Amino acid sequence: MLKQKLAAAATIVGLGALLAIPSVAAKAKPTAKAANDGRETCYACHTEVKALKEKSKHASISCTVCHEKTKEHLDNPSRETRPVTKIDQAVCGSCHKNQYESFYAVHHDPTGARKEKGVPAGRSPIQDKLLAGHGFTFEHAEPRGHAYMVVDQFAVDRFQGGRYQFKGGWKNYDKVGKTWDILQDNGASKKLTETAMAGNPTCVQCKSSDLILKWKHLGDKDPRAKFDRTSNVNDVIKDVHNPVGCIHCHDPHGTQPRIVRDGLIQAIEKDPAKNIFAKNGKTDLKVIDFRGFRKIGVMEKTDSRMMCAQCHVEYNCNPGTQRSDGKPVTFADARTNHFPLANSLQALEHYRKLDFFDFKHAVTGAKLIKFQHPEAETYAGSVHDKAGVQCHQCHMPQMKGKDGKKFSTHGVVKPIQTPQESCVSCHKDYSVNKAKFMIETIRNYTKGKMRKSEYWLGQLIDTFAVAQRSGVAPAVLEQARLKHEEAHAYWEYWTAENSDGFHNPEQARESLTRSIAASKAGVKVLKDAMAVAAQPKKEEPKKEEPKK
C-alpha cells in the first residue's frame, strides 16, 4: 500500500529527495551497505537514485544522512512533507576535510580584492568609454576565490542599487561563510548613487547550488518550482546561503563526476558529437532526466573541462533586444538562459543568428554583446587541451594536507601562485621561476594587443561622434556601426576571459588583431566620408539667357 501511495505521489513530489548533497556524515565509512535503513522504500519511487547509488563509493550511506524528515514523508507522501535536503558543503566536509578547508581558505593576495577592471592597471583601462551604456561601467571588479562567489555577486555597485553590503564594513570583507551572516540588506530605499539595478535568477544558478531543487530545467515556469527566470531576484537571493557546492561537480548519491547547469546540458545535447568537449566524435556524458523537472549529466571519467564550464563559459542570462526588429527579449524568452559554446572568433556570428544583442553603445548606437567569462571556449583546441590537460590539473593541483595525505585542492588557485604543483609537475625541465616567467610573458604580450585594440576602438568612437556632427550620411554611419560591432566582440571577449590570453594565446592574438583591423576600417570609412563632405562644391556654370 505504501509503495502504491509513493508511486502515485511521485509526480507531485518532483525532485524533493532526488538530488542530495554529495556528502557523508561524520564517521560514516562507505565500506558496506547499511543494513535495514529503509532505502528500498525510497527506491520504489526514486529508481534513478538507486541506479546511481548502489555499488558506488556512497553505497553504505543511508538516505537519512543527507535528507531530514524522511519519516514524515514516508508516513504522508506528499509535496508538503517532502524531505529536507542538506544544502551545505560542511556535510561533505565532515569526511572530505582537506577539500572542504581548502575551498574556504582565504587568499590574501597582496594586490588586494575589489580590483576594478576599468582602472589604469586593470584589465580594461578605458572600459567606461568602450562599454558606455552598460551597467558594468558602474563596477566591474576582477574575481576572487570561489568562497566569495555569492557575496561578491550581491555586494557590487551594479547589483540592485548597492543595497547589499558587508556587515561591519570593510573589516569583514575577507570573511567566509553563510551569505546572510556576511551581508546585510539595507533595503530598496537605500539605493546608492552611481549604481545599477542588474541581477537576475538565471545568473545566480552558477553562483550557488542552493536553488537546485527550486529551479526547473532551464528556469521554465512550473508549479513544482519555487523560482523561474522571471522571478524577482531579491526574493531568489534570500534563499541563497552558500557559494557553489560540491553537487555541481560530484553526484551525491554515487560520487560520479557530473554537471547540473541546465544551459550547458542543453548545449551539449544539441550536438554531442561536435561540441567543444567532444573527443573522437562523442561526449562522455549520460544525461538523466528526473521526471521532466531537472536533468543531470553523469560522466564515466572526470572531465573538468565540462565541470568548470558550468560557470566558466560565455552564457547569456540577461534580457536584450532582437537585432531584426528591435523587439525586447524578456526573461520569458529561453534566450535568457543560453550557452553558445562559441569561441571569440565565432561568438558575434552566433548571436547575430540568434537574433540577439545586449545593449546599444551610448555614442555610436552599435548593437553590442557583453560577454561573461568564456574560459571553456577559449581553452578548447589550445595546446594544453590537445595535450589532454584538464582544468583541475592546473587550478586544483595535488597538495599535501595537514594529515600528510595528498588531495586535490578545492581552493581553485591561479597556477602562477602554485607553479611547482601546477606547472613543474608536467614541465620537468622548468624551474619555478621559469614557469612564472613563461606565464607572464604570454600574458604581457596579450595585454599589449588588448591595449592596442582599446586604443583603436576609442578612435572609432571618437571619429563616429565627429562624423555624426558633421552630417555624414546615415548609410555611412551604419557601416561604421557594423565595424564597431565586430571590433567590440573581438576585443571585449578578452576582458571577460580571465587568463589574459594564457589559455589560448594564438586565438587571443587572432581575435585582438581582427578587432584592431575592424576599428581601423571603421575609422577610414568615416574619415573618407568626412573628407568628401568637406570638399568645396563646384559651382554650376551659368546658363546664358536666350537673346531677345
Side-chain angles (χ1 to χ4, degrees), residues 59-79:
S60 68
I61 307 304
S62 171
C63 304
T64 57
V65 169
C66 299
H67 298 282
E68 296 174 341
K69 298 187 177 180
T70 54
K71 183 180 183 302
E72 290 86 342
H73 179 60
L74 293 174
D75 290 342
N76 178 23
S78 68
R79 186 175 180 182

Side-chain angles (χ1 to χ4, degrees), residues 3 47 59 97 117 145-146 161 164 199 222 254 278 417 420 424 430 485 534 537:
K3 184 174 179 179
T47 54
K97 189 174 181 181
K117 290 185 178 182
H146 284 190
Y164 301 103
D222 191 294
Q417 296 172 337
Q420 180 64 48
V424 180
Y430 278 25
E485 290 175 19
K537 293 181 180 179

Side-chain angles (χ1 to χ4, degrees), residues 155-323:
V156 66
D157 288 350
R158 69 172 182 271
F159 187 89
Q160 294 299 296
R163 65 186 277 184
Y164 301 103
Q165 296 293 323
F166 285 83
K167 290 180 178 178
W170 292 107
K171 68 178 182 180
N172 286 321
Y173 191 72
D174 64 346
K175 184 178 178 181
V176 295
K178 300 290 185 183
T179 304
W180 302 109
D181 290 339
I182 298 170
L183 298 184
Q184 64 186 23
D185 181 1
N186 292 332
S189 63
K190 298 290 186 179
K191 186 177 185 294
L192 302 179
T193 56
E194 287 300 305
T195 57
M197 291 299 294
N200 65 74
T202 304
C203 184
V204 179
Q205 301 309 310
C206 96
K207 306 296 181 184
S208 172
S209 307
D210 289 4
L211 306 174
I212 195 165
L213 305 179
K214 302 172 183 178
W215 178 267
K216 186 180 178 177
H217 187 66
L218 299 176
D220 293 335
K221 283 183 177 292
D222 191 294
R224 295 170 291 175
K226 184 174 181 180
F227 302 117
D228 60 73
R229 293 191 305 271
T230 68
S231 297
N232 184 297
V233 70
N234 295 295
D235 296 334
V236 174
I237 67 174
K238 292 301 174 62
D239 264 10
V240 174
H241 303 280
N242 303 285
V244 64
C246 314
I247 60 169
H248 254 65
C249 298
H250 306 282
D251 186 79
H253 300 107
T255 74
Q256 299 92 337
R258 76 172 189 177
I259 60 174
V260 298
R261 187 71 169 83
D262 47 12
L264 179 60
I265 292 171
Q266 181 194 49
I268 292 173
E269 279 192 302
K270 282 181 180 177
D271 191 358
K274 296 179 182 178
N275 69 79
I276 62 174
F277 312 106
K279 296 291 184 184
N280 302 317
K282 64 179 182 179
T283 309
D284 176 21
L285 198 72
K286 178 184 178 183
V287 177
I288 303 171
D289 188 315
F290 291 90
R291 297 185 181 91
F293 188 87
R294 285 215 41 98
K295 290 184 180 182
I296 64 169
V298 180
M299 308 167 201
E300 288 291 330
K301 296 179 180 178
T302 295
D303 190 336
S304 56
R305 297 174 309 144
M306 277 190 281
M307 295 151 92
C308 296
Q310 297 181 90
C311 299
H312 291 274
V313 68
E314 157 58 17
Y315 65 92
N316 184 53
C317 61
N318 292 304
T321 309
Q322 291 191 160
R323 303 180 62 87

Side-chain angles (χ1 to χ4, degrees), residues 50-66:
K50 182 176 183 178
L52 291 165
K53 185 175 176 67
E54 295 304 312
K55 297 183 181 180
S56 76
K57 293 178 181 178
H58 280 183
S60 68
I61 307 304
S62 171
C63 304
T64 57
V65 169
C66 299

